[in-house]
Amino acid sequence: MKHKNLLLGLAAAALLTGCNAARVVAPLDAGEWRVGGALGGPQINTDRLPLISVYTAHGATEKRTDYVGLQVVSAAFQTLHLDAGSLRRVSAGGGVGSWKPEVNAFGGGTLLVGLRDGATRIYPNAGLHTVWSLPLGFKPYAGTDLWVDPTYRLAEFSQGTLLHPNLHGGLRWIGKHLEAGVEAKWLNPTRTFMVPQQTVPTFMDTGARGLYFTLAYRIP
Amino acid sequence: MTRLFPSLRTAAAVAAATALLFTSTGCDVDLALLSGSPEPYNFPAGDPSDPYYVEPANIYQMDLQSLADAANNVPAATLKGLYVGNPADIATDTVILYLHGNANSMNAFWNALRHMANLGGRHRYGVMCYDYRGFGNSEGPSTGTASMRQDLYAALQWLKDRGLTSDRLVVFGNSLGTLPGAQEAGEQGGPLKIDKLVLECPQSNADAFFQDAVGLSVPSSLATDYAFDVDGNMARYPGALLWMHGMDDDVAPIDNAKNLYAAHQGRFKRAHLLAGVGHNIRGGWGAQNWGDAILDFVARVD
C-alpha cells in the first residue's frame, strides 16, 4: 500500500513549485552548449522521490545563458512539462578564492499542458544565484527562486496564493567536459503540503525539502 | 555547425524518448486511489459474548455482476460481496450499504461492518459491503467514476432483486467510499434511489485533492482522469446527510470537506466534527459514539 500511494506523491512532486535543481547557476562560455539531466526530488516519508528531468543550455553571450528543460516524470503522467529561461550575470565575482560572489539573475517560466484534456498552466519564475569560485572548478552557491501563480484564483476553495518562494543552496563542479552538482532546496516555505496517507517532511515546520543531483556534458 | 550536431542528436534522442514515454505509459494518480490487493477473505464471527458478535449463518459472501459501460470503456466484471445478516430478510430489513475506504480489501472493515449489523440490537440491520474492481478478489481494475458507478449499481441491483426498496436503504461511504456514494447521491441513476447518506471523512473534489499536494492552481487532469466531485454532487443531492469528520484528519482535510456540507441543501443534514480525531473516526472518537451517531441518524430520518 505504501509504495502504491507514493504514486500520488510522485505526481505531486513532479508538479510542485520549483521542484527541480537550477539548470545553470552561472553563464556558460559564449557559444557553449550544455546537455544534462537532474535526478532527485522532495522527501516523502523517508524516501526521496526520483524525479528525472533533462535540459539543454546555451551560452548566448559571455553574460547570458538560455536554457530549456523537460520534466520526464510529468510526461509519464500524460503532462507536457517544460521549463525555459534565461540567466544573466548581474555582477562579477572576485575570482577564485574570493569571498565576493558572482551574482546572477534568472527569469523564465514553466509550461504545463495536460494531454488528457488540454488543460494548460504557465508559471513565471525569477530568482538569483550567488556563486563563489573555488579552486579545481568547484562553485558553491545559494539563491532563491520565486514562482508566480497567475491563475491562483482558479484554485479550489480560494486556497491559491500568488507567490511561491523557494530557497536553495548547492555545489557545482565544472570540469573540462562535465559538470556535476548537488543541490538542496527548501520548497515553498509559505505553506504545508498534504499528500494523503504520506508524510511530507518539512524544514522548520513548513514547506518541503528537496535534494537533487545534476550531471551535464559540456559542448564547447 | 558541426559542434551543434551532438546536441541536436541528443535533443532528438530526448524528444524520441519523451514521445515514447507519452505514448507507452499511462500513469495515473488514480492507481494510488483505486487499487487494493487480493487476499483471502476473513470475517470471523467472534465470541458470542462480543457485543458485535455475528451469527456464522449471517455471514454471507456472494458474487456480484458489475455490468459493462461501453460508452465509458468499462468492461463487465465479477465483484466479491458480503452481506451481514439474513438475505431472506432484505425484503423487510433496513440495510446499510457500506462503501469502504482505501485498503487491500473489505477485510479491513470487518469490525465496522459487524458493529453496524448490531446497532440497536443483535442483527437489527442488514449490512452489505463489496470490493470495488481491483480490490480484494474482485476483478479489476477500477478506472474512475464510470467503473465505480457500475460497481455500486451491481450492489444496489443485488439488494433490489431481494426486495429492498429505497426507503429502507442507507448508504455509508468511508473515505474513498464517499466518492462513489456521493456521486450516486447526486446522480440518482441507479437501481435504487439514495435518500439516506453517511459520509465519513470524505474528500471534496479531485482538483482540491491534487492542489493540496502540489500547492499550485493545477487541475487534477494533469495527473489523473478520476474527476470526482463530492461537493458538486452534494449540491444536487436532495436526501438526508450525516457527515462525520475528524478535525485532525491529514488525509481528507476538514476545511475542504466543509464545502460539501455547506453545498448540501437536502431535507436533513447533521455534522459531527470531532476534535482530536484523525482519519479513523471509529477508532478516534470511540466505537460507542460512532455507533450512536449512526443509529441516531438512521432512526431520525426514517
Side-chain angles (χ1 to χ4, degrees):
Chain A
M1 291 293 289
K2 179 188 168 193
H3 289 95
K4 172 177 78 97
N5 289 330
L6 273 178
L7 191 67
L8 174 60
L10 194 62
L15 302 173
L16 201 66
T17 45
C19 198
N20 217 336
R23 300 302 188 192
V24 290
V25 297
L28 277 55
D29 295 339
E32 176 188 347
W33 285 85
R34 207 169 285 181
V35 178
L39 172 69
Q43 188 176 351
I44 304 281
N45 302 322
T46 56
D47 303 314
R48 294 203 177 275
L49 297 181
L51 302 183
I52 300 167
S53 66
V54 293
Y55 73 94
T56 185
H58 177 245
T61 68
E62 281 190 2
K63 291 187 174 181
R64 198 192 94 210
T65 291
D66 304 319
Y67 55 87
V68 60
L70 172 75
Q71 179 60 258
V72 177
V73 171
S74 297
F77 285 94
Q78 307 295 293
T79 294
L80 176 64
H81 183 167
L82 292 170
D83 61 275
S86 186
L87 175 139
R88 183 180 290 271
R89 181 177 295 134
V90 175
S91 74
V96 175
S98 169
W99 284 104
K100 182 186 176 188
E102 173 183 342
V103 178
N104 301 311
F106 63 93
T110 294
L111 169 70
L112 299 170
V113 181
L115 300 187
R116 291 182 175 84
D117 58 2
T120 301
R121 294 287 188 275
I122 295 175
Y123 301 105
N125 70 308
L128 291 171
H129 300 300
T130 51
V131 186
W132 291 266
S133 291
L134 299 179
L136 303 175
F138 287 101
K139 289 180 179 290
Y141 62 95
T144 182
D145 181 6
L146 182 68
W147 279 45
V148 179
D149 185 351
T151 50
Y152 75 97
R153 289 184 183 277
L154 297 179
E156 290 293 303
F157 312 135
S158 302
Q159 291 179 352
T161 50
L162 178 64
L163 301 177
H164 299 260
N166 303 280
L167 300 172
H168 61 262
L171 178 68
R172 296 281 164 107
W173 169 79
I174 301 175
K176 184 178 178 185
H177 298 295
L178 293 176
E179 180 205 71
V182 59
E183 182 174 309
K185 216 161 183 177
W186 186 10
L187 298 157
N188 204 345
T190 63
R191 65 181 298 159
T192 56
F193 299 94
M194 183 175 287
V195 179
Q197 297 180 308
Q198 311 296 326
T199 300
V200 182
T202 58
F203 183 66
M204 295 172 63
D205 288 333
T206 187
R209 54 197 195 203
L211 185 66
Y212 310 83
F213 300 93
T214 63
L215 185 65
Y217 180 61
R218 302 183 67 191
I219 305 166
Chain B
M1 190 65 186
T2 52
R3 288 179 176 177
L4 254 172
F5 285 145
S7 55
L8 287 177
R9 280 200 299 270
T10 304
V14 169
T18 303
L20 183 65
L21 200 61
F22 274 124
T23 54
S24 64
T25 65
C27 280
D28 190 313
V29 163
D30 67 22
L31 189 63
L33 299 175
L34 297 177
S35 60
S37 293
E39 58 187 13
Y41 287 123
N42 183 28
F43 307 118
D47 187 276
S49 63
D50 183 339
Y52 311 135
Y53 171 72
V54 175
E55 301 279 351
N58 285 340
I59 302 172
Y60 180 81
Q61 296 184 59
M62 85 293 283
D63 284 352
L64 301 170
Q65 299 307 317
S66 182
L67 302 180
D69 176 2
N72 290 299
N73 204 25
V74 175
T78 300
L79 311 180
K80 299 299 180 183
L82 170 71
Y83 190 78
V84 187
N86 184 351
D89 294 338
I90 290 174
T92 55
D93 267 352
T94 292
V95 174
I96 301 172
L97 175 58
Y98 185 88
L99 307 175
H100 72 66
N102 191 358
N104 286 342
S105 79
M106 51 187 167
N107 277 351
F109 305 92
W110 173 238
N111 281 338
L113 298 174
R114 65 197 191 101
H115 185 169
M116 282 191 289
N118 289 300
L119 287 173
R122 182 80 70 195
H123 283 302
R124 179 173 175 182
Y125 296 113
V127 178
M128 184 177 184
C129 187
Y130 63 93
D131 272 328
Y132 320 108
R133 298 166 193 237
F135 287 79
N137 298 314
S138 292
E139 293 178 353
S142 283
T143 53
T145 53
S147 77
M148 297 291 267
R149 179 191 295 116
Q150 294 303 100
D151 294 354
L152 176 54
Y153 283 5
L156 292 173
Q157 188 64 54
W158 189 88
L159 291 167
K160 184 180 183 182
D161 290 346
R162 282 151 187 80
L164 185 68
T165 51
S166 297
D167 59 309
R168 289 181 289 109
L169 170 67
V170 179
V171 173
F172 187 115
N174 163 258
S175 190
L176 171 65
T178 64
L179 310 186
Q183 178 182 314
E184 179 55 18
E187 294 176 349
Q188 301 286 358
L192 294 170
K193 304 299 179 196
I194 298 177
D195 187 48
K196 303 179 193 73
L197 177 67
V198 182
L199 296 180
E200 185 180 47
C201 43
Q203 295 288 350
S204 50
N205 65 64
D207 283 348
F209 178 83
F210 198 55
Q211 287 162 8
D212 283 334
V214 173
L216 292 166
S217 61
V218 289
S220 59
S221 62
L222 295 184
T224 181
D225 56 11
Y226 189 13
F228 61 86
D229 183 11
V230 176
D231 36 328
N233 281 307
M234 281 304 94
R236 291 183 283 275
Y237 170 55
L241 172 66
L242 171 64
W243 171 41
M244 297 189 285
H245 215 117
M247 297 180 75
D248 293 342
D249 192 330
D250 59 1
V251 175
I254 190 169
D255 286 343
N256 290 356
K258 284 176 180 173
N259 291 281
L260 70 88
Y261 190 70
H264 178 250
Q265 302 297 323
R267 68 182 175 93
F268 176 89
K269 63 179 173 182
R270 167 153 297 181
H272 295 286
L273 308 185
L274 308 167
V277 176
H279 198 59
N280 178 0
I281 301 288
R282 185 170 177 269
W285 193 17
Q288 185 67 45
N289 292 329
W290 180 84
D292 288 348
I294 298 166
L295 188 60
D296 176 72
F297 173 72
V298 174
R300 189 177 294 271
V301 299
D302 244 352

